[in-house]
Amino acid sequence: MYELMLIMLERLGLIVMLAFIATRLRFFRDMISSAALSRKQQYKAIIFFGAFGIIGTYSGVTFQAEPFLLQRLKTDIFNHEAIANFRVIGVVLGGLFGGYKVGTAAGLIAGGHRMLLGGFTAFPCGIATIAAGISAAWIRTKNPEITAKPLLVFLIGAGAEMLQMALIVLLARPYTEALVLVQHIALPMILANGIGCALFLLIIKSVAKEEEKAAALQSQKVLRIAEQTLMHLKSGLTPQSADKVCTILYQELNLKGATIDDAENQLSHIGSSSNAAVIESLKSRDTVIGTLRFYFYSQKDVTSIEKETLSGLANLLSSQLELAEADKLYNLAKDAEINILQAQINPHFLFNTLNTVISLIRINPEKARTALRSLSKFIRQNLHSTTASLKTLENEVEHIKAYLSIEQIRFEDRIAVSYHIDDSCLHNKLPALTLQPIIENAVKHGFKGKIDQCKLSITVRDHKDNISLCIKDNGSGVRENRLVNLAADVSSSTEGNGIALYNINKRLQMTFGSDSGLHFKSRPDDGMAVYFNIPKIS
């Protein structure tokens, strides 16, 4: 028994070597990584595991119980001889990885071959082999995760050999020779085949981990390339961006050469061309807008994993180009929205100003002429504001002075205006028509019905990182529960001033970000302060 055990463990090295060679084959890798085998894969798996079972038979040794004799396996087996072998390894693994069809068919191939070899154990060994394939497949259906547990696979392989020993005792004749045979070969074969199944599985798992590691490295490389190319493709597919991307691809992928074309011309090329090339399309909204050509040093470098990586990389670059196009469209839409909001304000200004001039013409022609001069200046400033998205703070101050000169005439000089403006801020830019609507709200709504002196304070301070602006009045103020949503929505005001503050707040946030939105501080009958911060932009 011990001599047979040593021989079986020695022969097991051959089985392990064959298993390792098998894992280098592409069809085998595809098979073990597939959740469900296709019909073509099933046929390949049947042939592979059936042939592996036959090799397991021939890698064994012939055994004669009385007199005790071990020898190399021959092509013909005498009636008094049996085989100590590794046949069930291939059949069991076929059932575990391929299911009923593969396990049963591989068992029929390996088991049928064993019956043809002859010997007094041929029939029970053949039946046991078929049963091993079916049993392994049944266990897989009950426990789909079995192939990830080497210990359980060891027990399945050992159990298949136990079944074979039992069938030999039950079916082989003469009974006494069968019993003696089992006493000598049972333990070595049970241990060797169990160990063989577990080792085969461990080799398969190492291959799977190797592929996972390779895929992870490829993914990491693709993401690194995508991170580097993102800043260049923001401007779209241009000769300049193509040069940068080509250089990155050439260096990161260790290529012989790389080329980027648009729909008509070659935009960039680096390195040299070769016959070993992979070509991928660059798309935007399902339309081909360019081509990537990857040149390798030899055809053997163009593996299936490399092709999948390059295909994924092309998809990422296409997505970046789509994002660049979407970003351009967003900026255009943002500019259009700012222009629309600005256009909504202009009629509001003119309507109130013309009403003031009309009333002055009737009661005081001299003041009306003064108001018209101010109106002329106001309209000129207003027209300039509608042709530019950003204006200097100096222009905005001139604009509000023209407006307030008209309003002071309308209020019969009851409006006192104080300016506290740092000269260093006058060249800073902000959205056109920002201050005037805020001041108009203060005059129109804050001072409405006020009998006492109306005071308006305009403060602009230069800070280290930004500029703060505050417009404060001593008008009627706003209830505290309305302050939170005052500029958040057009419908936030029931007095008509909601759209002006909403438009200003929207334009400030679209231009400078959410931190530059309007803030309010007020109490009923105690005035109101509107304040906000803007970054320094000359």
Side-chain angles (χ1 to χ4, degrees), residues 506-527:
K506 185 80 171 176
R507 292 168 61 214
L508 284 170
Q509 290 182 333
M510 291 176 67
T511 305
F512 299 126
S514 58
D515 291 341
S516 293
L518 296 179
H519 299 276
F520 307 93
K521 191 177 294 184
S522 178
R523 286 187 299 178
D525 301 321
D526 194 28

Side-chain angles (χ1 to χ4, degrees), residues 143-160:
N143 187 357
E145 303 298 324
I146 191 73
T147 53
K149 301 173 181 177
L151 180 59
L152 293 181
V153 173
F154 166 81
L155 296 175
I156 293 171

Side-chain angles (χ1 to χ4, degrees), residues 232-242 245 320-321 324-325 328:
H232 302 297
L233 291 179
K234 281 184 177 180
S235 58
L237 192 59
T238 64
Q240 294 76 20
S241 64
V245 172
Q320 289 181 351
L321 290 170
E325 183 181 353
K328 288 181 181 178

Side-chain angles (χ1 to χ4, degrees), residues 315-329:
N315 289 334
L316 270 176
L317 296 179
S318 296
S319 298
Q320 289 181 351
L321 290 170
E322 286 188 359
L323 288 173
E325 183 181 353
D327 191 50
K328 288 181 181 178
L329 293 174

Side-chain angles (χ1 to χ4, degrees), residues 107-123:
L108 286 170
I109 292 172
H113 170 264
R114 174 63 188 91
M115 291 181 187
L116 293 176
L117 286 177
F120 77 105
T121 62
F123 180 72

Side-chain angles (χ1 to χ4, degrees), residues 8 17 30 33 47 51 101 154 164 168 178 201 212 226 253 303 320 354 366 369 376 390 394 399 427 461 486 509 536:
M8 292 292 286
M17 181 188 71
D30 293 340
S33 62
I47 295 171
K101 289 183 180 179
F154 166 81
Q164 181 168 268
I168 289 174
L201 180 66
E212 288 176 2
L253 298 174
T303 63
Q320 289 181 351
L354 287 174
E366 186 61 33
R369 282 193 291 270
S376 174
L390 295 177
E394 185 175 11
H399 196 203
H427 296 293
R461 295 301 184 196
L486 190 57
Q509 290 182 333
K536 291 184 177 180

Side-chain angles (χ1 to χ4, degrees), residues 341 345 349 430-439 441 471 487 497-511 516-518 530 532:
L341 293 174
I345 295 173
F349 292 161
L430 73 166
L433 299 177
T434 295
L435 300 181
Q436 191 272 339
I438 299 175
I439 292 171
N441 276 325
I471 298 170
N497 64 339
I499 189 169
L501 294 178
Y502 169 78
N503 286 344
I504 296 166
N505 187 58
K506 185 80 171 176
R507 292 168 61 214
L508 284 170
Q509 290 182 333
M510 291 176 67
T511 305
S516 293
L518 296 179
V530 181
F532 59 96

